[in-house]
Amino acid sequence: MLASGSSDNTIILWDVAPRSWMARACCIANRNLSQAEWQQYMGDRPYRKTCPDLPAGE
C-alpha cells in the first residue's frame, strides 16, 4: 500500500501490488490479453497468460 496526502486533508491509500491489479483486470475483462494487446502494452517480452485460469488470448 502507498499512502498519499493532500492540502485538503484527504488521504488516499493506493494498492500498488501488480498481482492484485492483474486479478481485478481478469475479473472485469474475463479474458487474457490477446497477442496484439500483449505486444502493444508489454513490447517484445514473451507472451504469457495474464489470467491463468482462462484460455490464452487469440
Side-chain angles (χ1 to χ4, degrees):
M1 297 296 271
L2 172 71
S4 66
S6 179
S7 61
D8 66 358
N9 295 324
T10 58
I11 297 173
I12 299 175
L13 297 176
W14 303 89
D15 179 359
V16 295
R19 288 188 189 266
S20 60
W21 281 94
M22 283 177 47
R24 183 177 169 123
C26 289
C27 288
I28 292 170
N30 197 33
R31 67 178 180 86
N32 280 289
L33 292 176
S34 68
Q35 298 282 343
E37 291 168 329
W38 179 271
Q39 188 172 18
Q40 178 182 354
Y41 299 115
M42 303 302 287
D44 292 333
R45 292 181 180 173
Y47 178 83
R48 69 179 178 91
K49 292 173 26 171
T50 50
C51 304
D53 297 332
L54 299 172
E58 297 179 21

